[in-house]
């Protein structure tokens, strides 16, 4: 019962802290971790205890799915270099540097044990990056690059972790050739599984008329994918991402699906992220009890490893900056020196690091007492402190939303408007002339965002009522055409899916209104802009 009360308290704290973070501009996950940590030392308050082997299977699938459904094949295609250079090469470089550092500062530690610790610390957590970077006001182009990196980098670290852990348990040497083959196998099989499951899931979702059932299906699916991939030793992380993108690109979602699905997954992401970061805060007491007198040496080790991870990431971001500028890339980051520092600062470790470190069995290393403290120190240095400082850093670097994002939104609005106008012209003869005129003016009132004077509005509304039914049908045609154009734009590389979704969300509200036989009035138009 104590665990149940603690869990409910953690959920309530998540909502309250998230509201405080929204008003203050402080990234709420970092704030929640700070709030929870000292509270658990109050006598009588129990902590939430979850089997360490269940942390990733419980939290990672829904959070990864929630993040992956926001991206698209177009964005992934435009950022394949990010997947290769940041999700794979950077992870392996960081593992190598951290392994060497751990063997240097931890006397007597074996290569395999050092690799286990390094693999757990190496990957920035996509959940931490998304939860902290978004509220901090980081531009969408940079956030998109960080999200793409985070969606795939866990695969490299988890495979390396498993290979090194097998060597530790067997008390043997790390087989790098076998590890490379297993990594290729895990990634390739995961891609195939993700594509097949995503396509089949789209067929099922398209055949089910109830939006509630479709939303519930997407909730169960990521858990099933993760469990299935783990059973065949494939990467559940990659499979979930691929399946989510494939389902989003092939399912014929209605406006209700998009609106309800967005609200549902935003709620899931908030609560699951809150519990996950709350667990990080709650781990403080257990870590201190376990480490005992070894706590301060463990803190020093965690600080050193955090610094090494930051330096490696900073150097690699500078290399990528030079490559991006030389090749004239415009849809990835970093493109400026300010972005090099920002993206290095945004290499936040989180749930994956904590879960992997806690999954190391006590018999694996003589330093098992210090592992929890090392992990929490790394999380503090790479997530809590950077998270609290990110809003200030973004302001100082003048990295608020740039004009390129505004141009993208405007261009998407124009495309949707042009498609709607074209559909009205093509189908205008099927309806009464009054309806054709009304819908044309309705479109103009949205796009031009004109304010109508009261007398003009009354006259127009009388005309609207006379041609109401016909105008509603034509309005549906226009909205369908606009939505189809945005669906095509989402698959194109030059647009950030977040920009498309922002325009689509406003359009979906109009679609829902039209299905209720409500013809939006010119004086009550919702602007088609983010």
């Amino acid at each position: 019962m104590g665990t149940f009360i603690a869990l409910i308290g953690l959920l309530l704290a998540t909502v309250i802290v998230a509201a405080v973070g929204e008003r203050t501009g402080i990234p709420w996950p970092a704030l929640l971790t700070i709030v929870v940590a000292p509270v658990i030392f109050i006598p009588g308050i129990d902590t939430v205890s979850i089997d360490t082997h269940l942390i990733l299977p419980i939290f990672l699938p829904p959070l990864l799915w929630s993040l992956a459904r926001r991206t698209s094949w177009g964005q992934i295609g435009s950022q394949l270099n990010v997947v290769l250079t940041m999700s794979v090469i950077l992870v392996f470089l960081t593992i190598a540097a951290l392994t060497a550092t751990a063997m240097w500062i931890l006397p007597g530690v074996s290569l395999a044990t050092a690799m286990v610790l390094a693999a757990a610390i190496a990957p920035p957590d996509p959940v931490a990056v998304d939860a902290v970077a978004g509220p901090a006001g980081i531009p969408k182009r940079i956030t998109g690059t960080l999200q793409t990196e985070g969606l795939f980098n866990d695969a490299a670290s988890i495979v390396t972790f498993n290979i090194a852990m097998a060597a530790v348990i067997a008390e043997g040497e790390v087989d790098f050739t076998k590890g490379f083959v297993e990594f290729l196998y895990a990634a390739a099989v995961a891609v195939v599984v993700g594509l097949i499951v995503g396509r089949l899931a789209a067929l099922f979702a398209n055949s089910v008329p109830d939006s509630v059932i479709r939303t519930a299906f997407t909730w169960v699916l990521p858990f099933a994918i993760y469990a299935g991939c783990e059973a065949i030793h494939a990467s559940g992380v990659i499979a979930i991402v691929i399946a989510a993108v494939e389902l989003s690109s092939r399912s014929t979602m209605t406006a209700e699906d998009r609106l309800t699905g967005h609200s549902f997954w935003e709620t899931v992401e908030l609560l699951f992220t809150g519990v996950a970061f709350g667990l990080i805060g709650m781990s403080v007491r257990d870590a201190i009890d376990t480490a005992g007198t070894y706590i301060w040496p463990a803190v020093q080790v965690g600080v050193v490893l955090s610094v090494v991870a930051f330096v490696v990431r900073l150097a690699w971001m500078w290399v990528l900056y030079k490559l991006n500028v030389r090749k004239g890339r415009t849809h990835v980051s970093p493109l400026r020196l300010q972005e090099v520092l920002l993206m290095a600062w945004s290499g936040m470790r989180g749930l994956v690091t904590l879960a992997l470190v806690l999954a190391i069995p006590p018999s694996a290393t003589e330093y098992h007492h210090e592992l929890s403290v090392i992990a929490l120190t790394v999380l503090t240095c790479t997530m809590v402190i950077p998270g609290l400082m990110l809003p200030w850093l973004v302001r100082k670097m003048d990295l608020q939303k740039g004009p390129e994002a505004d141009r993208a939104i405007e261009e998407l609005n124009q495309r949707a408007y042009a498609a709607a106008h074209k559909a009205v012209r093509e189908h205008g003869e099927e309806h009464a002339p009054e309806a054709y005129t009304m819908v044309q003016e309705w479109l103009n009132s949205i796009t031009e965002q004109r304010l109508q004077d009261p007398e003009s509005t009354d006259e127009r509304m009388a005309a609207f009522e006379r041609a109401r039914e016909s105008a509603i049908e034509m309005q549906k045609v226009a909205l369908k055409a606009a939505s189809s154009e945005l669906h095509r734009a989402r698959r194109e590389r030059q647009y950030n899916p977040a920009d498309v979704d922002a325009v689509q969300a406003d359009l979906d509200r109009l679609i829902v209104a039209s299905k209720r036989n409500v013809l939006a009035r010119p004086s009550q138009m919702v602007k088609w802009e983010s």
Side-chain angles (χ1 to χ4, degrees):
M1 190 64 180
T3 300
F4 175 75
I5 294 175
L7 182 60
I8 296 301
L10 188 55
L11 291 172
L12 181 60
T14 298
V15 177
I16 295 174
V17 171
V20 173
E22 184 177 3
R23 294 185 65 88
T24 60
I26 301 175
W28 67 267
L31 187 61
L32 178 65
T33 304
I34 295 175
V35 169
V36 171
V39 170
I40 63 175
F41 289 97
I42 300 175
I45 295 183
D46 294 329
T47 60
V48 178
S49 179
I50 298 178
D51 189 328
T52 55
H53 294 89
L54 294 178
I55 294 178
L56 288 183
I58 289 176
F59 291 98
L60 202 55
L63 292 175
L64 268 179
W65 186 277
S66 180
L67 298 177
R69 62 189 292 274
R70 302 176 192 170
T71 190
S72 65
W73 286 126
Q75 184 175 31
I76 292 177
S78 68
Q79 298 195 359
L80 284 177
N81 64 303
V82 173
V83 177
L84 177 63
T85 60
M86 296 176 64
S87 301
V88 179
I89 297 178
L90 177 57
V91 170
F92 287 140
L93 288 175
T94 306
I95 290 175
L98 292 174
T99 299
T101 304
M103 295 182 69
W104 173 53
I105 61 177
L106 295 175
V109 71
S110 66
L111 173 63
T113 302
M115 283 187 63
V116 167
L117 180 60
I121 296 175
D125 193 322
V127 177
V129 172
D130 184 76
V132 175
I138 295 179
K140 292 179 182 178
R141 173 173 53 81
I142 302 176
T143 303
T145 299
L146 293 173
Q147 288 174 340
T148 302
E149 173 198 11
L151 287 174
F152 294 97
N153 63 4
D154 288 340
S157 63
I158 291 175
V159 171
T160 304
F161 179 89
N162 291 333
I163 295 295
M165 181 57 69
V168 170
I169 294 175
E171 297 183 353
E173 298 295 329
V174 179
D175 190 336
F176 291 100
T177 302
K178 179 183 177 182
F180 179 71
V181 172
E182 289 192 10
F183 172 73
L184 292 181
Y185 165 82
V189 173
V191 170
V192 174
V193 170
L195 289 173
I196 294 175
V197 172
R199 188 162 298 187
L200 293 177
L203 292 175
F204 174 80
N206 293 340
S207 65
V208 176
D210 194 313
S211 62
V212 175
I213 295 177
R214 289 195 294 268
T215 302
F217 175 63
T218 61
W219 162 250
V220 177
L221 192 59
F223 293 102
I225 294 173
Y226 191 88
C229 285
E230 291 299 304
I232 61 176
H233 304 291
S235 172
V237 172
I238 294 178
I240 288 173
V241 173
I242 297 297
V245 178
E246 181 71 3
L247 174 60
S248 298
S249 65
R250 290 187 174 273
S251 62
T252 55
M253 292 188 295
T254 64
E256 290 89 343
D257 288 334
R258 287 187 290 266
L259 291 175
T260 58
H262 176 77
S263 299
F264 172 80
W265 281 107
E266 286 288 312
T267 303
V268 168
E269 186 175 347
L270 174 70
L271 295 179
F272 266 69
T273 301
V275 173
F277 281 86
L279 287 175
I280 293 174
M282 287 184 172
S283 300
V284 173
R285 178 193 290 177
D286 296 333
I288 293 176
D289 292 340
T290 302
T293 58
Y294 300 98
I295 183 171
W296 292 117
V299 169
Q300 294 173 6
V301 171
V303 171
V304 172
L305 293 178
S306 300
V307 172
V308 171
F310 174 79
V311 171
V312 171
R313 184 175 178 85
L314 180 64
W316 191 246
M317 289 301 108
W318 184 84
V319 172
L320 293 182
Y321 155 69
K322 290 295 185 180
L323 290 175
N324 290 338
V325 173
R326 181 178 303 174
K327 295 186 177 182
R329 294 169 178 158
T330 58
H331 294 90
V332 295
S333 299
L335 296 178
R336 295 188 294 169
L337 286 175
Q338 298 99 310
E339 296 176 12
V340 170
L341 177 58
L342 180 70
M343 294 183 67
W345 195 249
S346 299
M348 301 174 190
R349 277 62 179 178
L351 180 65
V352 173
T353 293
L354 179 67
L356 291 181
V357 169
L358 294 181
I360 301 174
S363 59
T365 172
E366 60 183 282
Y367 294 100
H368 67 274
H369 292 296
E370 295 96 327
L371 288 179
S372 296
V373 175
I374 292 174
L376 288 170
T377 302
V378 171
L379 295 180
T380 301
C381 294
T382 64
M383 187 270 291
V384 177
I385 296 176
L388 295 176
M389 293 183 63
L390 261 182
W392 173 83
L393 189 63
V394 170
R395 290 193 300 269
K396 287 297 182 181
M397 289 185 174
D398 192 24
L399 287 173
Q400 299 293 345
K401 185 176 67 173
E404 68 277 1
D406 294 331
R407 288 197 298 269
I409 292 289
E410 178 59 26
E411 186 175 333
L412 289 166
N413 272 299
Q414 291 176 359
R415 284 186 59 169
Y417 164 75
H421 244 307
K422 181 180 178 182
V424 170
R425 288 195 300 270
E426 292 176 350
H427 297 275
E429 297 179 356
E430 302 174 9
H431 302 275
E434 294 87 351
Y436 175 81
T437 302
M438 291 302 102
V439 174
Q440 285 283 19
E441 293 186 359
W442 171 77
L443 287 172
N444 289 334
S445 68
I446 294 175
T447 308
E448 299 173 7
Q449 302 169 15
R450 297 177 304 183
L451 295 176
Q452 307 292 339
D453 60 88
E455 294 183 2
S456 175
T457 299
D458 292 339
E459 295 174 358
R460 292 177 186 276
M461 289 317 305
F464 265 95
E465 294 301 327
R466 290 193 297 269
R468 178 181 178 81
E469 293 184 3
S470 184
I472 287 176
E473 292 301 318
M474 194 180 302
Q475 177 185 250
K476 292 179 180 178
V477 171
L479 292 173
K480 182 179 180 180
S483 185
S484 298
E485 183 65 23
L486 290 177
H487 187 68
R488 284 190 290 272
R490 202 177 193 278
R491 297 194 294 267
E492 298 174 8
R493 294 188 176 189
Q494 68 266 33
Y495 295 116
N496 188 318
D499 291 334
V500 181
D501 292 344
V503 178
Q504 183 70 67
D506 288 334
L507 185 61
D508 286 340
R509 296 184 184 93
L510 295 175
I511 293 175
V512 170
S514 70
K515 289 186 177 181
R516 296 172 181 167
N517 289 329
V518 176
L519 188 61
R521 302 184 177 186
S523 60
Q524 298 173 335
M525 280 297 95
V526 179
K527 296 180 181 179
W528 282 15
E529 61 180 11
S530 148

